[in-house]
Amino acid sequence: LWPWLLASSGLSALVQLVTLPFFPDSPSYLLIQKGNEEACRKAIRKLWGEGDHQAEIDDIMKEKAAAMTSTKSLRVLEVLREPSWRWQLYILITLMSTLQLCGINAIYFYSFEVFHTAKFEEYLIPYVSLGIGSCEWLSSILCSTLIDRFGRKVLLLGGYTLMCSVLALLTMTLSLQHQFLWMHYFSVILIFLFVIFYGIGP
């Protein structure tokens, strides 16, 4: 039934494809991007019902005026040369690099081997792998509730610190797995912890 499970992710895309044509465009998009005030009024009436929505339209017009005065289109090289945006670029490049190099892909790649070495039955390994994916999904949901309370910086620093500690322990347990039988199971637990910290942090 694995093909059906994988195909089920297309169900939400199908629902979106069928339902999205019946939803109105965003009023601010229609007014700011398209410049179509009548379509904007129609969309507002469809979303909020009949009534006088001039105050909302005035707010969108103020937003449009602010956007026109504060922004200008820049090419990629101009963005790279702009000194006022240099630190934002450094932070963005650092975040994206650490996200790609944090080890999550290696964990997913080698987890099958770790489960196999831990003497899991062949038919159980796909379910354990599914458990890892579920842990990442649940921890990502948990992250969305924690981010407002603790902020991105705390979650990123805490997540990477815990992931680093787990990787150090995992390296140790994989080195000692032939000496102690219980090390295999400890490695499996560490893989789950790593994925949870990845979902909550980065």
Side-chain angles (χ1 to χ4, degrees):
L1 296 176
W2 283 101
W4 288 104
L5 182 64
L6 291 172
S8 67
S9 61
L11 187 63
S12 61
L14 184 64
V15 169
Q16 288 181 37
L17 281 172
V18 171
T19 57
L20 279 177
F22 300 102
F23 288 98
D25 286 321
S26 160
S28 57
Y29 165 77
L30 290 168
L31 192 58
I32 295 172
Q33 285 350 68
K34 295 284 188 181
N36 191 338
E37 189 172 335
E38 188 52 42
C40 172
R41 286 182 189 279
K42 272 187 188 174
I44 287 176
R45 280 196 296 272
K46 195 168 183 181
L47 289 168
W48 296 329
E50 293 297 327
D52 182 25
H53 300 292
Q54 190 58 44
E56 286 84 2
I57 292 171
D58 291 342
D59 285 343
I60 296 171
M61 291 299 279
K62 284 178 194 169
E63 184 185 329
K64 181 180 180 180
M68 295 293 281
T69 56
S70 65
T71 60
K72 61 174 185 170
S73 295
L74 295 174
R75 294 190 176 97
V76 175
L77 287 176
E78 290 173 330
V79 171
L80 293 173
R81 290 185 190 132
E82 181 65 42
S84 62
W85 293 345
R86 197 156 290 148
W87 279 108
Q88 290 92 322
L89 275 172
Y90 291 157
I91 291 167
L92 184 66
I93 290 167
T94 304
L95 279 174
M96 296 314 293
S97 302
T98 52
L99 195 61
Q100 292 301 316
L101 301 172
C102 71
I104 190 70
N105 294 326
I107 287 289
Y108 276 126
F109 185 77
Y110 287 111
S111 62
F112 182 86
E113 192 177 321
V114 172
F115 299 150
H116 191 71
T117 311
K119 305 289 189 287
F120 278 101
E121 297 288 339
E122 286 287 335
Y123 75 93
L124 283 176
I125 292 176
Y127 294 102
V128 180
S129 298
L130 187 63
I132 287 179
S134 301
C135 278
E136 185 180 347
W137 178 67
L138 290 171
S139 57
S140 298
I141 291 172
L142 178 63
C143 173
S144 64
T145 59
L146 294 176
I147 200 163
D148 290 332
R149 186 170 182 182
F150 297 107
R152 295 176 199 278
K153 189 176 179 181
V154 171
L155 290 181
L156 279 170
L157 286 174
Y160 280 126
T161 303
L162 291 168
M163 285 165 62
C164 186
S165 306
V166 168
L167 280 180
L169 285 171
L170 187 59
T171 305
M172 203 164 51
T173 58
L174 290 175
S175 303
L176 298 171
Q177 66 183 353
H178 299 297
Q179 297 176 24
F180 305 99
L181 288 174
W182 54 269
M183 280 292 180
H184 302 300
Y185 302 105
F186 195 48
S187 300
V188 172
I189 292 167
L190 288 173
I191 286 174
F192 273 88
L193 284 175
F194 184 86
V195 171
I196 289 168
F197 295 146
Y198 171 78
I200 291 174

